[in-house]
Short mmCIF file of all heavy atoms in Angstrom, two decimals:
data_model
loop_
_atom_site.label_atom_id
_atom_site.label_comp_id
_atom_site.label_asym_id
_atom_site.label_seq_id
_atom_site.Cartn_x
_atom_site.Cartn_y
_atom_site.Cartn_z
N LYS J 1 111.76 142.48 54.29
CA LYS J 1 112.53 141.34 53.42
C LYS J 1 112.92 140.27 54.28
O LYS J 1 112.75 139.05 53.98
CB LYS J 1 113.57 142.03 52.61
CG LYS J 1 114.07 141.08 51.68
CD LYS J 1 115.26 141.82 50.89
CE LYS J 1 115.94 140.96 49.79
NZ LYS J 1 116.96 141.67 49.09
N THR J 2 113.59 140.65 55.39
CA THR J 2 114.13 139.58 56.33
C THR J 2 113.01 138.77 56.90
O THR J 2 113.07 137.48 57.04
CB THR J 2 115.03 140.20 57.48
OG1 THR J 2 115.93 141.03 56.82
CG2 THR J 2 115.49 139.07 58.34
N LYS J 3 111.91 139.27 57.27
CA LYS J 3 110.77 138.61 57.87
C LYS J 3 110.13 137.69 56.88
O LYS J 3 109.80 136.57 57.20
CB LYS J 3 109.77 139.65 58.29
CG LYS J 3 108.49 139.00 58.96
CD LYS J 3 107.48 140.13 59.52
CE LYS J 3 106.33 139.48 60.08
NZ LYS J 3 105.31 140.50 60.50
N ARG J 4 110.06 138.13 55.65
CA ARG J 4 109.36 137.30 54.65
C ARG J 4 110.22 136.09 54.30
O ARG J 4 109.72 134.94 54.28
CB ARG J 4 109.20 138.11 53.31
CG ARG J 4 108.54 137.43 52.15
CD ARG J 4 108.41 138.35 50.97
NE ARG J 4 109.49 138.98 50.60
CZ ARG J 4 110.54 138.47 49.80
NH1 ARG J 4 110.56 137.26 49.39
NH2 ARG J 4 111.58 139.29 49.48
N LYS J 5 111.52 136.26 54.29
CA LYS J 5 112.39 135.22 54.03
C LYS J 5 112.49 134.16 55.27
O LYS J 5 112.50 132.94 54.92
CB LYS J 5 113.79 135.60 53.67
CG LYS J 5 113.99 136.29 52.30
CD LYS J 5 115.42 136.72 52.05
CE LYS J 5 115.54 137.36 50.69
NZ LYS J 5 116.90 137.64 50.34
N LYS J 6 112.36 134.78 56.34
CA LYS J 6 112.45 133.90 57.54
C LYS J 6 111.04 133.05 57.60
O LYS J 6 111.17 131.87 57.87
CB LYS J 6 112.61 134.78 58.80
CG LYS J 6 112.56 133.94 60.03
CD LYS J 6 112.89 134.85 61.28
CE LYS J 6 112.73 134.10 62.61
NZ LYS J 6 112.82 134.92 63.74
N GLU J 7 110.02 133.70 57.41
CA GLU J 7 108.74 132.92 57.39
C GLU J 7 108.58 131.84 56.31
O GLU J 7 108.19 130.71 56.66
CB GLU J 7 107.56 133.88 57.30
CG GLU J 7 107.45 134.80 58.49
CD GLU J 7 106.25 135.85 58.23
OE1 GLU J 7 105.82 135.96 57.13
OE2 GLU J 7 105.82 136.44 59.23
N ALA J 8 109.26 132.11 55.15
CA ALA J 8 109.13 131.09 54.16
C ALA J 8 110.16 129.88 54.52
O ALA J 8 109.80 128.77 54.12
CB ALA J 8 109.61 131.76 52.79
N ALA J 9 111.23 130.19 55.12
CA ALA J 9 112.21 129.21 55.52
C ALA J 9 111.76 128.30 56.63
O ALA J 9 112.18 127.19 56.85
CB ALA J 9 113.54 129.80 55.78
N GLU J 10 110.94 129.01 57.53
CA GLU J 10 110.47 128.18 58.77
C GLU J 10 109.46 127.01 58.38
O GLU J 10 109.33 126.21 59.24
CB GLU J 10 109.74 129.15 59.67
CG GLU J 10 110.54 130.13 60.44
CD GLU J 10 109.72 131.04 61.37
OE1 GLU J 10 108.58 131.22 61.16
OE2 GLU J 10 110.45 131.71 62.17
N ARG J 11 108.98 127.03 57.17
CA ARG J 11 108.10 125.78 56.72
C ARG J 11 108.98 124.62 56.70
O ARG J 11 108.52 123.54 56.81
CB ARG J 11 107.53 126.13 55.39
CG ARG J 11 106.29 125.16 55.03
CD ARG J 11 106.11 125.14 53.46
NE ARG J 11 107.13 124.47 52.96
CZ ARG J 11 107.30 123.12 52.86
NH1 ARG J 11 106.42 122.34 53.37
NH2 ARG J 11 108.33 122.63 52.15
N ASN J 12 110.19 124.64 56.57
CA ASN J 12 111.07 123.51 56.37
C ASN J 12 111.27 122.83 57.75
O ASN J 12 111.77 121.78 57.72
CB ASN J 12 112.57 123.92 55.94
CG ASN J 12 112.56 124.45 54.48
OD1 ASN J 12 111.70 124.04 53.74
ND2 ASN J 12 113.38 125.43 54.23
N HIS J 13 110.83 123.45 58.84
CA HIS J 13 110.86 122.79 60.15
C HIS J 13 110.04 121.40 60.08
O HIS J 13 110.50 120.49 60.77
CB HIS J 13 110.46 123.70 61.28
CG HIS J 13 111.19 124.91 61.51
ND1 HIS J 13 110.83 125.93 62.39
CD2 HIS J 13 112.34 125.21 61.01
CE1 HIS J 13 111.79 126.76 62.27
NE2 HIS J 13 112.68 126.31 61.57
N ILE J 14 108.93 121.43 59.42
CA ILE J 14 108.14 120.18 59.45
C ILE J 14 108.82 119.07 58.54
O ILE J 14 108.72 118.00 58.92
CB ILE J 14 106.77 120.47 58.86
CG1 ILE J 14 105.72 119.28 59.15
CG2 ILE J 14 106.69 120.83 57.53
CD1 ILE J 14 104.32 119.58 59.06
N GLU J 15 109.53 119.53 57.55
CA GLU J 15 110.27 118.53 56.73
C GLU J 15 111.44 117.95 57.67
O GLU J 15 111.76 116.82 57.54
CB GLU J 15 111.02 119.40 55.45
CG GLU J 15 109.99 119.96 54.62
CD GLU J 15 109.26 118.84 53.71
OE1 GLU J 15 109.51 117.72 53.86
OE2 GLU J 15 108.44 119.19 52.91
N GLY J 16 112.03 118.84 58.51
CA GLY J 16 113.09 118.26 59.45
C GLY J 16 112.41 117.32 60.44
O GLY J 16 112.98 116.34 60.74
N LYS J 17 111.12 117.46 60.77
CA LYS J 17 110.41 116.60 61.69
C LYS J 17 110.24 115.25 61.00
O LYS J 17 110.47 114.11 61.64
CB LYS J 17 109.14 117.18 62.10
CG LYS J 17 108.36 116.38 63.17
CD LYS J 17 109.13 116.29 64.47
CE LYS J 17 109.27 117.67 65.19
NZ LYS J 17 109.69 117.46 66.53
N PHE J 18 109.92 115.23 59.64
CA PHE J 18 109.68 114.00 59.05
C PHE J 18 111.05 113.34 58.85
O PHE J 18 111.04 112.10 58.99
CB PHE J 18 109.22 114.35 57.53
CG PHE J 18 107.66 114.85 57.61
CD1 PHE J 18 107.26 115.60 56.54
CD2 PHE J 18 106.95 114.60 58.63
CE1 PHE J 18 106.00 116.16 56.42
CE2 PHE J 18 105.59 115.24 58.55
CZ PHE J 18 105.17 115.90 57.43
N GLY J 19 112.11 114.06 58.57
CA GLY J 19 113.42 113.45 58.57
C GLY J 19 113.83 112.79 59.91
O GLY J 19 114.34 111.64 59.97
N GLN J 20 113.50 113.49 60.90
CA GLN J 20 113.74 112.86 62.26
C GLN J 20 113.00 111.57 62.60
O GLN J 20 113.62 110.64 63.01
CB GLN J 20 113.34 113.91 63.45
CG GLN J 20 113.50 113.41 64.80
CD GLN J 20 112.89 114.40 65.84
OE1 GLN J 20 112.34 115.39 65.55
NE2 GLN J 20 113.18 113.87 67.10
N GLY J 21 111.71 111.56 62.09
CA GLY J 21 110.90 110.45 62.23
C GLY J 21 111.45 109.25 61.44
O GLY J 21 111.53 108.04 61.84
N LYS J 22 111.91 109.55 60.15
CA LYS J 22 112.25 108.46 59.30
C LYS J 22 113.76 107.98 59.49
O LYS J 22 114.12 106.78 59.52
CB LYS J 22 112.15 108.93 57.76
CG LYS J 22 110.65 109.06 57.44
CD LYS J 22 110.52 109.35 56.01
CE LYS J 22 109.02 109.47 55.56
NZ LYS J 22 108.82 109.80 54.26
N ASN J 23 114.69 108.85 59.81
CA ASN J 23 116.03 108.51 60.03
C ASN J 23 116.23 108.10 61.48
O ASN J 23 117.10 107.27 61.77
CB ASN J 23 116.97 109.74 59.76
CG ASN J 23 116.89 110.13 58.23
OD1 ASN J 23 116.82 109.24 57.42
ND2 ASN J 23 117.01 111.42 58.06
N GLY J 24 115.65 108.81 62.51
CA GLY J 24 115.85 108.48 63.87
C GLY J 24 114.90 107.32 64.46
O GLY J 24 115.30 106.76 65.46
N TYR J 25 113.73 107.26 63.91
CA TYR J 25 112.80 106.33 64.67
C TYR J 25 112.10 105.41 63.53
O TYR J 25 111.11 104.74 63.84
CB TYR J 25 111.78 107.16 65.26
CG TYR J 25 112.28 108.05 66.36
CD1 TYR J 25 112.47 109.39 66.06
CD2 TYR J 25 112.55 107.63 67.65
CE1 TYR J 25 112.98 110.20 67.03
CE2 TYR J 25 113.14 108.38 68.66
CZ TYR J 25 113.27 109.65 68.29
OH TYR J 25 113.79 110.57 69.34
N ASN J 26 112.63 105.18 62.39
CA ASN J 26 112.32 104.21 61.37
C ASN J 26 110.78 104.46 60.96
O ASN J 26 110.07 103.50 60.86
CB ASN J 26 112.53 102.88 61.92
CG ASN J 26 113.98 102.43 61.86
OD1 ASN J 26 114.76 103.11 61.25
ND2 ASN J 26 114.34 101.45 62.64
N LEU J 27 110.33 105.72 60.83
CA LEU J 27 109.11 105.92 60.42
C LEU J 27 108.80 105.56 58.82
O LEU J 27 107.72 105.19 58.52
CB LEU J 27 108.74 107.46 60.42
CG LEU J 27 107.39 107.95 60.07
CD1 LEU J 27 106.27 107.44 61.04
CD2 LEU J 27 107.29 109.41 60.04
N ASN J 28 109.87 105.18 58.21
CA ASN J 28 109.74 104.70 56.91
C ASN J 28 109.85 103.28 56.77
O ASN J 28 109.97 102.63 55.72
CB ASN J 28 110.80 105.27 55.92
CG ASN J 28 112.20 105.10 56.50
OD1 ASN J 28 112.42 104.84 57.60
ND2 ASN J 28 113.24 105.37 55.60
N GLU J 29 109.82 102.47 57.93
CA GLU J 29 109.91 101.00 58.02
C GLU J 29 109.04 100.55 59.01
O GLU J 29 109.37 100.05 60.19
CB GLU J 29 111.31 100.50 58.26
CG GLU J 29 112.39 100.90 57.24
CD GLU J 29 113.66 100.21 57.53
OE1 GLU J 29 113.90 99.64 58.66
OE2 GLU J 29 114.67 100.34 56.76
N ILE J 30 107.66 100.67 58.80
CA ILE J 30 106.73 100.35 59.81
C ILE J 30 106.50 98.70 59.72
O ILE J 30 106.09 98.19 58.64
CB ILE J 30 105.32 100.98 59.55
CG1 ILE J 30 105.45 102.43 59.47
CG2 ILE J 30 104.31 100.61 60.62
CD1 ILE J 30 106.17 103.02 60.77
N ARG J 31 106.85 98.00 60.61
CA ARG J 31 107.07 96.59 60.71
C ARG J 31 105.70 95.88 61.09
O ARG J 31 105.66 94.63 61.12
CB ARG J 31 108.19 96.04 61.33
CG ARG J 31 109.48 96.44 60.80
CD ARG J 31 110.67 96.02 61.63
NE ARG J 31 111.92 96.47 60.98
CZ ARG J 31 112.66 95.67 60.15
NH1 ARG J 31 112.35 94.52 60.00
NH2 ARG J 31 113.75 96.17 59.60
N ALA J 32 104.80 96.67 61.72
CA ALA J 32 103.50 95.91 62.04
C ALA J 32 102.81 95.50 60.77
O ALA J 32 102.82 96.20 59.78
CB ALA J 32 102.66 96.92 62.87
N ARG J 33 102.02 94.42 60.89
CA ARG J 33 101.35 93.82 59.66
C ARG J 33 99.92 94.10 59.65
O ARG J 33 99.27 94.20 58.49
CB ARG J 33 101.54 92.34 59.73
CG ARG J 33 103.05 91.85 59.60
CD ARG J 33 103.23 90.37 59.49
NE ARG J 33 102.75 89.86 58.20
CZ ARG J 33 102.82 88.63 57.87
NH1 ARG J 33 103.46 87.78 58.52
NH2 ARG J 33 102.19 88.29 56.66
N LEU J 34 99.23 94.44 60.82
CA LEU J 34 97.84 94.70 60.82
C LEU J 34 97.54 96.11 60.55
O LEU J 34 98.49 96.98 60.85
CB LEU J 34 97.23 94.15 62.04
CG LEU J 34 97.30 92.68 62.33
CD1 LEU J 34 96.63 92.43 63.70
CD2 LEU J 34 96.62 91.89 61.26
#
């Protein structure tokens, strides 16, 4: 049971990576025009 819950929760790591890119490095504000 603990292993199953842990593996399901580990998928959120990639969501945290997206949050790091958008909040920390402005991945949601790409200012290049080409």
Side-chain angles (χ1 to χ4, degrees):
K1 186 177 181 180
T2 304
K3 181 181 178 181
R4 177 174 55 81
K5 289 184 176 181
K6 181 181 178 182
E7 290 177 347
E10 284 177 348
R11 196 202 70 82
N12 295 329
H13 292 175
I14 193 168
E15 298 287 357
K17 185 64 69 173
F18 294 156
Q20 178 188 1
K22 293 186 177 183
N23 296 324
Y25 300 97
N26 289 343
L27 184 62
N28 57 342
E29 292 183 4
I30 306 301
R31 294 175 179 265
R33 299 184 66 174
L34 302 178

